[in-house]
């Protein structure tokens, strides 16, 4: 395969670019009006210069469980009346329906995370929550929202956008069926212009059926991403209707801007498109005004413009500079619509011999794969948690993320853009049927302006990966991707069939696991195809555990435990670091996640694969990656030094990127070890209470020390919010880390005290966790046991500015109090 760049895609005829006009000129192209409405630009705010409004529809919902097997317990759904007459779809759609006994909720919402754990082998991979066909009473949920649409909105085009619902959702407005969306990950929307009531209340009902799984991990249940009400002029930029690409040369960037404009009315329209490029400081650095364009009634036209940006600030991992495209559609002498698109300027290239290049410089991808759940909240993450998680991964030295195995929430992509992480963006459904291509199209159109996205994945370990039929399916998906986005290559995560089937279609070969001989053999046979480790390692460990304990469901923290198909962290990284032709790899996984409790089953309910636990606390293995992925000195000694048996032999390891480490026990040297690149130092030490200390040397000089001390009994609680100030917008959060320490302030490594939380003032507690893969405690609770000395609480601000007080207590321990300031901010425009 060639070393793909955007120029190669165009040259080889994979797509025909519409942006062929000369610099400063523009072209237009009449488009077929799509039959299915999709969601609009995820970051599009309300615009004062036009009629566009994008209003958050997250607050004020009511929720009730249904029943997948009994219509009488599912609000009579399934009795055959829903489709008989338009206007009576769903019993809860009726104005006189009494929802007073429904639970008041805001979305994002995951009802699955609040269900009790259940010991059923069929559920083990899915997090042991009773969701699925055998559990009809907990696998269907209903959502109801009543809201007003003003009389003044008559004449506008209205749509409802859902960023993600798990799964199989049916939506009705005012008793009118709007549609059904099967995917639990792909965004979708419905035009409600005809179904809306103007100047009066509207009733929105969503039935969510989570009886089927799409994956083999915990996937949750409910409206777990944002919902929006969008209002536009009939002449407007439609969903994901802009696309900015760039070519960089000689301290200048040439931007090609493709803008779709729809005319959703009975009369033809004449309009212009004005494109302004705004830098991170708010300066307009380029402008282009198109010639007048005629758009027939109920049609859509694409306008292509080119502008130059001098001395562009390139988006990179170290300096993730962002620009903003401000698109104004002028019609009838006014600004009919204004639409904003964040984007970045950068170049990417996958080379067969030297791997991945960003802005002309080689970059080894040091990535992680991640599912989307988090301790305390399940899959319904507040936006701020996306940034928290990416920041924690950056602390490891990670620079890449694979959205395993599905389209991610838009806010995760925003976090990767803003914090500097390159992304392998993956679709869930490997298929060339209309549903599969629709999901893929929605993913690409939504995410193609994100500079963090550097390639697309068409699937993961598919059954057809090594077959001719699989190659045909992948080829059709590839054509669609390259038509929608000619700037990025495709890959797929393959754990078999290497060199056959879809391998022959991929722009970049995706290796899942295996060892150096298999990888090198592929290279010898296919020397012209770039390659990346789409999934590597799968090392298992439990935070703070140093002996395997199958009965409790715990795995030791040493880099020694992994399933038969996998490798240690050291093995995979040595392979990939030593071979420049490999573009890097994505570790399975960055965070622990619910489900797949390899190597055990019950009582385990979450995985051990993470480098961080479900709360985001570092495991010891995180310091291996921090040492060899980062650019700062690292010296991390483990295990703890509080054991119950003197003379017990203990494996002592040190993850470090220093030249040499000398180990001391109570001041006596136990010898020095030279540290080979991408390796570690290790000793066997007979336990004696006191202090074990590592002294690290660089260039012959001692530069760092790390030590572990025998601690006393638990004495008090320490609280550490990750942010002392948050916005009072009803959405922002602070993650409060909780430590159980002894009288000298040292974390007690095996402390398991029950911590009770009380939150008062301008905030509320929305979830708790501790990273214990075998804990069956509730995430939605006001208490949690510490696990090996630590647990966490997630505190969310209300819409009222003021101080939030977090109190933590436990019998026999000194209590702790932390304060968080909820500062007055302008909340996002929302539906009342």
């Amino acid at each position: 395969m060639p070393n793909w760049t955007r120029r190669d895609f165009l040259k080889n005829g994979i797509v025909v670019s519409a942006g062929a006009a000369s610099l400063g000129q523009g072209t237009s192209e009449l488009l077929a009006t799509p039959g299915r409405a999709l969601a609009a630009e995820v970051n599009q705010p309300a615009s004062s210069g036009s009629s566009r409004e994008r209003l958050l529809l997250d607050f004020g919902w009511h929720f009730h469980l249904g029943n997948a097997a009994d219509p009488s317990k599912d609000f009579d759904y399934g009795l055959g009346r829903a489709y008989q007459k338009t206007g009576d779809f769903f019993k809860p759609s009726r104005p006189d329906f009494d929802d007073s006994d429904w639970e008041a909720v805001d979305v994002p919402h995951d009802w699955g995370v609040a269900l009790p754990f259940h010991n059923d082998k069929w559920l083990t991979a899915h997090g042991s929550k009773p969701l699925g066909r055998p559990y009809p009473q907990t696998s269907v949920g209903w959502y109801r929202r009543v809201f007003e649409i003003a009389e003044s909105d008559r004449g506008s085009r209205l749509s409802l956008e859902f960023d993600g619902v798990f799964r199989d959702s049916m939506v009705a407005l005012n008793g009118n069926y709007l549609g059904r969306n099967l995917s639990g990950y792909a965004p979708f929307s419905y035009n409600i212009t005809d179904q809306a009531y103007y100047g009066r209340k509207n009733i929105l009902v969503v039935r969510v059926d989570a009886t089927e799984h799409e994956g083999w991990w915990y996937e949750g249940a409910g409206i777990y991403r944002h919902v929006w009400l969008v209002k536009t002029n009939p002449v407007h930029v439609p969903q994901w209707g802009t696309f900015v690409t760039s070519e960089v040369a000689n301290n200048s960037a040439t931007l090609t801007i493709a803008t779709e404009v729809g005319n959703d009315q009975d009369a033809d329209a004449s309009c212009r498109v004005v494109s302004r490029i705004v830098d991170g400081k708010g300066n307009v650095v380029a402008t282009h005004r198109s010639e007048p364009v005629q758009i027939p009634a109920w049609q859509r036209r694409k306008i292509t413009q080119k502008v130059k940006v001098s001395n562009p600030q390139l988006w990179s991992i170290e300096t993730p500079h962002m620009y903003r495209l401000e698109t104004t559609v002028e019609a009838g002498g006014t600004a009919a619509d204004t639409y904003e698109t964040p984007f970045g300027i950068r170049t990417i290239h996958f080379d067969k011999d030297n791997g991945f290049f960003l802005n002309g410089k080689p970059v080894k991808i040091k990535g992680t794969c991640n599912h989307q759940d988090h301790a305390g909240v399940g899959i319904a993450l507040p936006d701020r948690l996306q940034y928290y998680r990416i920041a924690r991964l950056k602390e490891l030295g990670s620079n890449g993320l694979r959205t395993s195995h599905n389209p991610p929430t838009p806010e995760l992509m925003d976090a990767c853009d803003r914090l500097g992480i390159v992304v392998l963006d993956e679709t869930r459904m490997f298929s060339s049927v209309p549903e599969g291509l629709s999901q893929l199209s929605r993913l690409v159109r939504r995410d193609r302006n994100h500079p963090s996205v550097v390639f697309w994945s068409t699937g993961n370990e598919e059954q057809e990966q090594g077959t001719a039929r699989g190659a045909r399916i992948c080829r059709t998906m590839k054509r669609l991707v390259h038509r929608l986005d000619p700037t990025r290559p495709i890959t797929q995560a393959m754990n078999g069939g290497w060199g056959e089937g879809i391998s022959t279609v991929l722009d970049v070969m995706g290796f899942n696991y295996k060892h150096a001989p298999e990888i090198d053999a592929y290279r010898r046979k296919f020397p012209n195809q770039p390659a990346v480790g789409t999934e590597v390692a799968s090392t298992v460990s439990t935070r703070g555990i140093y002996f395997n304990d199958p009965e409790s469901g715990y795995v030791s923290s040493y880099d020694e435990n992994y399933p038969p198909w996998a490798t240690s962290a050291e093995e995979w990284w040595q392979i990939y670091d030593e071979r420049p032709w490999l573009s890097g790899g994505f570790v399975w996984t960055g965070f622990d996640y619910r489900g797949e409790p390899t190597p055990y089953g019950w009582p385990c309910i979450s995985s051990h694969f993470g480098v961080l636990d479900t709360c985001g606390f570092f495991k010891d293995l995180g310091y291996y990656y921090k040492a060899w992925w980062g650019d700062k000195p690292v010296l991390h000694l483990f295990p703890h030094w509080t054991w119950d048996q003197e003379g017990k032999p203990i494996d002592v390891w040190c993850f470090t990127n220093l030249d040499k480490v000398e180990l001391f026990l109570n001041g006596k040297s136990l010898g020095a070890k030279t540290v080979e690149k991408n390796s570690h130092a290790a000793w066997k030490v007979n336990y004696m209470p006191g202090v074990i200390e590592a002294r690290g040397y660089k260039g012959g000089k001692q530069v760092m020390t790390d030590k572990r001390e025998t601690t006393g009994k638990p004495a008090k609680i320490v609280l550490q919010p990750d942010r002392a100030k948050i916005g009072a917008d009803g959405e922002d959060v602070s993650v409060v880390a909780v430590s159980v320490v002894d009288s000298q302030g040292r974390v007690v490594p095996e402390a398991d005290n029950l911590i009770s939380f009380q939150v008062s003032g301008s905030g509320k507690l929305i979830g708790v966790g501790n990273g214990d893969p075998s804990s069956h405690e509730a995430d939605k609770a006001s208490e949690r046991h510490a696990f090996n000395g630590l647990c966490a609480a997630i505190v969310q601000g209300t819409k009222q500015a003021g101080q939030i007080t977090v109190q933590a207590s436990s019998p026999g321990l000194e209590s702790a109090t932390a304060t968080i300031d909820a500062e007055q901010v302008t909340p996002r425009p929302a539906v009342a």
Side-chain angles (χ1 to χ4, degrees), residues 782-796:
S782 60
E783 61 183 22
R784 189 72 169 213
H785 282 89
F787 177 60
N788 291 330
L790 304 175
C791 61
I794 303 173
V795 176
Q796 187 172 60

Side-chain angles (χ1 to χ4, degrees), residues 593-822:
Y593 55 94
R594 291 170 173 80
E596 282 198 300
T598 305
Y600 308 124
W602 186 270
C604 277
I605 46 80
S606 72
S607 80
H608 302 262
F609 290 117
V611 181
L612 310 173
D613 70 14
T614 54
C615 295
F617 292 121
F618 269 49
K619 299 182 184 180
D620 291 296
L621 193 59
Y623 294 93
Y624 172 79
Y625 289 110
K626 189 171 185 177
W628 297 113
W629 281 1
D631 56 4
K632 296 180 180 179
V634 172
L635 181 64
H636 175 72
L637 179 67
F638 65 101
H640 64 76
W641 208 242
T642 304
W643 300 97
D644 57 3
Q645 182 180 345
E646 190 167 333
K648 182 177 183 178
I650 303 294
D651 287 314
V652 176
W653 283 31
C654 191
F655 288 139
T656 183
N657 50 14
L658 301 178
D659 300 336
K660 185 177 69 172
V661 180
E662 187 173 8
L663 186 68
F664 292 82
L665 174 59
N666 295 329
K668 181 180 178 181
S669 176
L670 300 182
K673 298 289 179 75
T674 299
V675 182
E676 301 294 334
K677 185 181 180 182
N678 297 324
S679 185
H680 70 281
W683 298 259
K684 180 78 76 172
V685 180
N686 292 328
Y687 174 66
M688 180 182 298
V691 180
I692 192 166
E693 180 183 15
R695 300 175 186 175
Y697 297 82
K698 188 77 171 179
K701 296 182 179 180
Q702 181 180 320
V703 295
M704 296 181 74
T705 64
D706 193 22
K707 64 181 180 180
R708 301 289 175 263
E709 300 178 348
T710 304
T711 66
K713 294 182 179 180
K716 58 184 179 179
I717 301 169
V718 175
L719 300 180
Q720 183 60 57
D722 81 306
R723 300 165 70 219
K725 296 180 179 180
I726 64 174
D729 58 5
E731 299 184 71
D732 204 2
V733 299
S734 180
V735 180
V736 181
V738 183
S739 304
V740 177
V741 302
D742 66 7
S743 59
Q744 297 184 44
R746 301 171 297 192
V747 175
V748 181
E750 296 183 343
D752 61 355
N753 304 72
L754 179 62
I755 310 298
S756 297
F757 299 97
Q758 184 176 355
V759 177
S760 58
S762 299
K764 61 182 179 180
L765 181 66
I766 65 168
V768 294
N770 62 9
D772 181 353
S774 297
S775 174
H776 298 168
E777 295 175 279
D779 288 76
K780 301 295 184 180
S782 60
E783 61 183 22
R784 189 72 169 213
H785 282 89
F787 177 60
N788 291 330
L790 304 175
C791 61
I794 303 173
V795 176
Q796 187 172 60
T798 65
K799 296 180 182 179
Q800 181 67 44
Q803 192 173 79
I804 304 170
T805 301
V806 182
Q807 295 176 303
S809 60
S810 182
L813 300 184
E814 182 182 328
S815 300
T817 299
T819 58
I820 301 166
D821 291 329

Side-chain angles (χ1 to χ4, degrees), residues 104-373:
V105 300
D106 296 330
V107 301
H109 177 250
D110 173 11
W111 85 73
V113 74
L115 297 176
F117 292 101
H118 190 68
N119 185 6
D120 180 343
K121 289 183 179 180
W122 184 80
L123 295 175
T124 300
H126 303 283
S128 297
K129 294 288 188 174
L131 294 167
R133 289 292 296 276
Y135 302 94
Q137 69 277 14
T138 51
S139 297
V140 170
W142 290 79
Y143 293 84
R144 191 173 192 261
R145 177 68 157 88
V146 180
F147 62 99
E148 290 195 9
I149 294 176
E151 177 64 34
S152 58
D153 289 325
R154 192 183 297 272
S156 297
R157 305 300 294 174
L158 308 180
S159 63
L160 290 170
E161 300 175 0
F162 293 83
D163 286 346
V165 178
F166 198 89
R167 74 173 290 280
D168 192 2
S169 64
M170 302 178 74
V171 183
L173 182 70
N174 301 322
N176 287 259
Y177 172 74
L178 297 181
R180 182 178 185 179
N181 185 70
L182 296 177
S183 171
Y185 301 100
F188 59 98
S189 79
Y190 303 111
N191 188 302
I192 62 168
T193 306
D194 296 342
Q195 290 76 24
Y197 288 133
Y198 297 89
R200 54 182 285 196
K201 293 184 182 299
N202 291 260
I203 301 172
L204 175 63
V205 178
V206 183
R207 182 182 184 270
V208 183
D209 186 342
T211 56
E212 289 289 342
H213 300 286
E214 293 185 51
W216 47 95
W217 57 91
Y218 175 78
E219 296 180 280
I223 305 177
Y224 71 99
R225 295 179 183 172
H226 294 304
V227 184
W228 307 87
L229 172 64
V230 178
K231 309 175 185 180
T232 69
N233 189 285
V235 180
H236 64 280
V237 178
Q239 66 276 359
W240 308 308
T242 56
F243 184 31
V244 185
T245 59
S246 57
E247 294 182 0
V248 181
N250 301 321
N251 296 319
S252 178
T254 300
L255 306 185
T256 300
I257 305 166
T259 305
E260 298 172 18
V261 180
N263 178 25
D264 293 349
Q265 59 186 357
D266 292 332
D268 294 351
S270 176
C271 68
R272 292 178 185 266
V273 172
V274 180
S275 296
R276 298 178 181 86
I277 306 299
V278 182
D279 67 15
K281 296 181 179 179
N283 302 310
V284 178
V285 296
T287 301
H288 186 276
R289 182 181 178 88
S290 77
E291 295 297 319
V293 176
Q294 298 295 317
I295 307 180
W298 301 105
Q299 296 294 316
R300 185 176 297 174
R301 190 175 289 277
K302 183 167 71 174
I303 295 94
T304 302
Q305 302 163 290
K306 287 199 175 187
V307 298
K308 271 192 175 181
V309 176
S310 299
N311 300 311
Q313 293 182 307
L314 301 184
W315 185 93
S316 69
I317 293 164
E318 298 78 18
T319 56
H321 294 294
M322 294 292 293
Y323 286 83
R324 185 174 74 253
L325 167 64
E326 292 182 353
T327 303
T328 301
V329 179
E330 298 178 346
T334 64
D337 192 20
T338 301
Y339 190 87
E340 294 187 356
T341 308
F343 72 98
I345 299 174
R346 50 93 178 116
T347 65
I348 59 170
H349 170 67
F350 284 86
D351 185 83
K352 66 182 179 65
D353 296 318
N354 296 296
F356 173 62
F357 284 74
L358 179 62
N359 299 324
K361 300 177 181 178
V363 173
K364 186 73 78 171
I365 296 174
K366 305 165 183 175
T368 63
C369 303
N370 288 279
H371 286 312
Q372 60 180 0
D373 65 292

